[in-house]
Amino acid sequence: MKRLIITTLILLIVTVMITVTYFKSLNVPGRLNHQVINTIPSTAALILKFNNDQGFHDIYDSSTIWQTVIGEQNIHELKALQQYVTHNSLLKSVLANQNIYLSLHPQQGDTTDFLITLPAGKQQSANGFKQFLHPGTTNKTSGLVVVNGTTKPTIYSLYLDSVKRNFYFVEKANAVISGSFSLSLVTESAQYSSKKATTIFTLLPEEQTSNSLANLYVNYQQLKPLLNQWYRNHDDPDLVKPLQLLPATAALSLNYKSDALMFNGFTTLKDQQAVSYLNLFQSLKPVVNELKNIFPATTAYSSSFAAEDVTHFEQLLSDWQNKAGLRNSKLALYKKIKSETGVSFEKEFNSLLGHEFAVVTTRFQERLAIIALKNGSNLRPVITNISSMADDGLTGQLNYDRLPFYLLGDAFAFLRRPYFMIVDNYLILANTPIELKNYNDNYLNGRFLSKIDEYNSFDDLLAERCNISFFIHFKNADYVLKNTLKKAFYKNYQQHNGGFKNFYAASYQLTSSDQQFYTAFCAKLNQAGTVQSTIK
């Protein structure tokens, strides 16, 4: 009996060992994706993942969207690389139906480069790639050169005659291949080693990625160094500045549309505490976005914020500001206003604050704050008491510094002692009287984006409700971008056969969901033959 028990135990142990060994040998897609994406240098702000199958290439070749996004020069280079692979039987078999990761990295100087990363895949594919690198003395790969001598891992260059450029690549651990037209980026990739316990991105489930043409991963905190490459002044990209401070990553799936680039998915927050302005909205219910209906027709870009429970928002904002060391200066300001005017302005303002507030930049680089009110008539005497009024009695200037910042948060810090007016149930703030006058003219004459057919066609693609929305109208933004982007990047933006000027508008929306954000990106191409939009 004892011998039978021992024999049974031995068989059980052997079975477990064989089972574990078998499953370890399986190329589990989710685990493989995790291994590959972890080899991409952490400087990546954006990673596009797609499958190298014919279906994707058919859509890619038939649509102008990808050419517009990637740019004419990059398209030529990627086409040259694709053609080389197509005509090389070894590489074609290695790369067929493989997941490819295209990541965007800022580099030294004024350059931003792509890195292509992919697994060699199955053992026979890995062997095929090794045969491509080491074909033997009788069948050398034409144009293949070792760049870094005996240093490991070995970096190779491949000269592509059609574009007169070298493509550099390296084979890393676990048969992962990384390549770029930038030698410095490939060198960075070769030397990069991620901590196994550290996962920058939360990957989409394999079931979801297998049903999607492409996936986009975003590391918000890497947007700042990327945008610093593009803008002359690092403070210029105020449109997406709040996103740069959000400790989070996004995992989005592509929804194919012939005239629009659309991704949706979730933004995963790294820290549940309010460590950035946008964190304040993660637990607040969204509302139907209506404030955009009175954005002027000259809007270049905007940042909009919304919450169903504005009392809860104000409490969250106050707590966050207190933790940031602003409590004493804030209370001193409110106390000063109370002693000099008899007005408890914070209390009065919060009781009349509506569900939406936004910052709008126009094509003339005017910046406005548009704030929804529950009752504009009730706020008028209150705000008049703390302001110096103009002769018209309709506009004035606040007598106290930084009030919008303390009342509404970081997005309104650009307003120090702003001028104001109240139109119907909206409070409009600006740093100059002329900005208020121009907006008032637009308001009285109904010159809004929402009166333009092409804008409404774009708006139909967006979510009706959200907490946070970033919007850009590319034609209106052209003058602003010309004055703020570095020359090389503005030139890329202006490309006729590629470049974002061929898009009409883009939007990035965040909607609170279980302490995270449901996220949607949409960029729509200009309508064919559109020269200038007309207002109804």
Side-chain angles (χ1 to χ4, degrees):
M1 183 67 180
K2 184 184 292 186
R3 180 180 298 176
L4 180 60
I5 292 174
I6 292 173
T7 303
T8 303
L9 287 173
I10 291 173
L11 288 173
L12 180 61
I13 292 170
V14 170
T15 302
V16 170
M17 289 177 64
I18 292 173
T19 303
V20 170
T21 302
Y22 170 74
F23 279 105
K24 278 187 175 181
S25 68
L26 287 178
N27 192 7
V28 182
R31 189 173 68 196
L32 181 60
N33 290 335
H34 185 275
Q35 289 175 351
V36 175
I37 209 167
N38 262 9
T39 69
I40 298 174
S42 57
T43 55
L46 305 170
I47 302 176
L48 179 70
K49 174 199 168 190
F50 59 93
N51 190 270
N52 186 38
D53 62 14
Q54 191 57 46
F56 179 84
H57 286 291
D58 288 344
I59 294 174
Y60 167 87
D61 291 336
S62 62
S63 173
T64 61
I65 286 182
W66 297 108
Q67 289 88 327
T68 300
V69 172
I70 297 174
E72 189 174 8
Q73 180 61 35
N74 290 325
I75 284 292
H76 288 327
E77 292 171 352
L78 292 175
K79 285 280 189 183
L81 188 61
Q82 181 187 1
Q83 289 172 3
Y84 182 91
V85 170
T86 302
H87 291 93
N88 186 293
S89 58
L90 281 175
L91 284 183
K92 189 175 181 179
S93 64
V94 169
L95 303 182
N97 298 314
Q98 289 291 358
N99 288 329
I100 295 178
Y101 299 78
L102 190 66
S103 52
L104 192 61
H105 301 257
Q107 297 292 286
Q108 290 186 350
D110 295 340
T111 58
T112 301
D113 287 301
F114 291 102
L115 180 71
I116 300 171
T117 306
L118 68 153
K122 299 177 182 179
Q123 187 62 44
Q124 59 267 33
S125 297
N127 290 338
F129 187 71
K130 290 184 184 299
Q131 188 178 348
F132 169 75
L133 295 179
H134 311 288
T137 57
T138 60
N139 186 30
K140 289 186 178 296
T141 301
S142 177
L144 188 66
V145 177
V146 174
V147 174
N148 60 341
T150 58
T151 305
K152 299 297 182 180
T154 304
I155 297 176
Y156 301 87
S157 73
L158 188 67
Y159 184 73
L160 300 176
D161 187 64
S162 60
V163 290
K164 309 299 182 188
R165 290 199 66 183
N166 284 313
F167 181 77
Y168 304 93
F169 60 93
V170 60
E171 183 182 16
K172 303 171 70 174
N174 298 318
V176 173
I177 306 162
S178 292
S180 174
F181 287 96
S182 166
L183 176 58
S184 62
L185 183 52
V186 172
T187 302
E188 178 187 348
S189 177
Q191 296 171 350
Y192 178 74
S193 177
S194 65
K195 297 179 181 178
K196 290 185 178 180
T198 302
T199 302
I200 297 176
F201 296 96
T202 300
L203 301 187
L204 292 166
E206 182 62 26
E207 298 80 8
Q208 186 173 344
T209 60
S210 62
N211 294 322
S212 174
L213 283 171
N215 306 112
L216 181 67
Y217 294 96
V218 184
N219 185 354
Y220 293 118
Q221 292 184 306
Q222 283 300 319
L223 290 175
K224 183 176 177 60
L226 180 67
L227 292 173
N228 285 349
Q229 293 276 331
W230 299 358
Y231 284 84
R232 300 175 190 175
N233 186 323
H234 293 173
D235 291 330
D236 277 334
D238 51 274
L239 167 61
V240 293
K241 187 176 292 184
L243 277 179
Q244 301 174 40
L245 303 175
L246 185 65
T249 60
L252 312 174
S253 297
L254 173 67
N255 294 321
Y256 176 70
K257 201 172 187 299
S258 61
D259 62 346
L261 192 62
M262 301 178 68
F263 286 90
N264 60 57
F266 278 90
T267 289
T268 302
L269 302 169
K270 295 181 180 178
D271 193 334
Q272 293 298 324
Q273 300 301 314
V275 294
S276 79
Y277 181 63
L278 299 189
N279 282 98
L280 301 178
F281 297 88
Q282 69 190 62
S283 61
L284 301 174
K285 288 184 179 180
V287 298
V288 175
N289 300 153
E290 297 178 340
L291 201 61
K292 61 188 176 183
N293 293 330
I294 61 165
F295 286 180
T298 56
T299 297
Y301 50 82
S302 63
S303 304
S304 303
F305 309 93
E308 183 180 76
D309 189 346
V310 291
T311 302
H312 190 196
F313 165 76
E314 291 292 351
Q315 185 59 56
L316 291 171
L317 176 63
S318 179
D319 292 345
W320 182 53
Q321 290 177 338
N322 292 345
K323 291 177 182 177
L326 299 171
R327 184 176 186 274
N328 291 340
S329 59
K330 177 177 62 175
L331 292 180
L333 176 62
Y334 293 154
K335 184 178 179 180
K336 182 180 180 181
I337 295 173
K338 176 68 174 178
S339 65
E340 293 180 354
T341 67
V343 176
S344 299
F345 190 74
E346 179 194 24
K347 180 180 178 181
E348 296 286 353
F349 179 84
N350 289 346
S351 68
L352 293 170
L353 179 62
H355 298 292
E356 296 181 83
F357 33 97
V359 175
V360 174
T361 300
T362 73
R363 63 186 301 177
F364 307 111
Q365 292 186 283
E366 303 164 317
R367 293 185 75 187
L368 306 161
I370 304 178
I371 302 157
L373 302 172
K374 294 175 183 175
N375 190 313
S377 298
N378 287 350
L379 182 65
R380 189 181 301 278
V382 178
I383 198 169
T384 299
N385 283 338
I386 67 166
S387 305
S388 299
M389 299 303 294
D391 293 337
D392 60 13
L394 300 176
T395 61
Q397 183 179 18
L398 298 182
N399 292 332
Y400 300 94
D401 194 27
R402 303 189 78 190
L403 259 178
F405 167 70
Y406 288 125
L407 293 169
L408 295 170
D410 288 23
F412 300 82
F414 72 97
L415 297 162
R416 300 293 300 224
R417 286 185 55 217
Y419 294 84
F420 77 89
M421 67 178 180
I422 295 175
V423 290
D424 295 329
N425 289 324
Y426 304 105
L427 173 64
I428 315 299
L429 303 175
N431 282 322
T432 64
I434 190 64
E435 291 172 303
L436 289 182
K437 180 182 181 302
N438 289 340
Y439 179 79
N440 193 48
D441 288 344
N442 283 321
Y443 188 88
L444 294 177
N445 290 286
R447 290 193 292 264
F448 303 129
L449 277 177
S450 57
K451 298 292 186 179
I452 300 173
D453 288 338
E454 192 168 4
Y455 171 80
N456 289 321
S457 177
F458 167 78
D459 190 58
D460 287 342
L461 300 175
L462 308 184
E464 184 182 38
R465 295 171 179 265
C466 73
N467 296 93
I468 303 160
S469 176
F470 301 99
F471 165 82
I472 182 169
H473 183 292
F474 288 104
K475 183 177 180 181
N476 285 347
D478 185 79
Y479 178 76
V480 181
L481 294 176
K482 183 178 181 179
N483 289 330
T484 55
L485 285 176
K486 295 176 182 177
K487 287 185 178 180
F489 290 99
Y490 181 71
K491 183 179 179 181
N492 289 336
Y493 166 81
Q494 284 281 62
Q495 286 180 4
H496 179 70
N497 293 323
F500 277 94
K501 78 176 186 66
N502 295 315
F503 279 98
Y504 173 75
S507 172
Y508 199 85
Q509 296 178 292
L510 301 174
T511 306
S512 66
S513 176
D514 296 328
Q515 295 294 316
Q516 306 292 339
F517 287 116
Y518 177 78
T519 305
F521 171 77
C522 175
K524 188 177 186 300
L525 288 172
N526 284 312
Q527 291 179 0
T530 297
V531 177
Q532 184 175 359
S533 299
T534 56
I535 300 176
K536 290 180 180 178

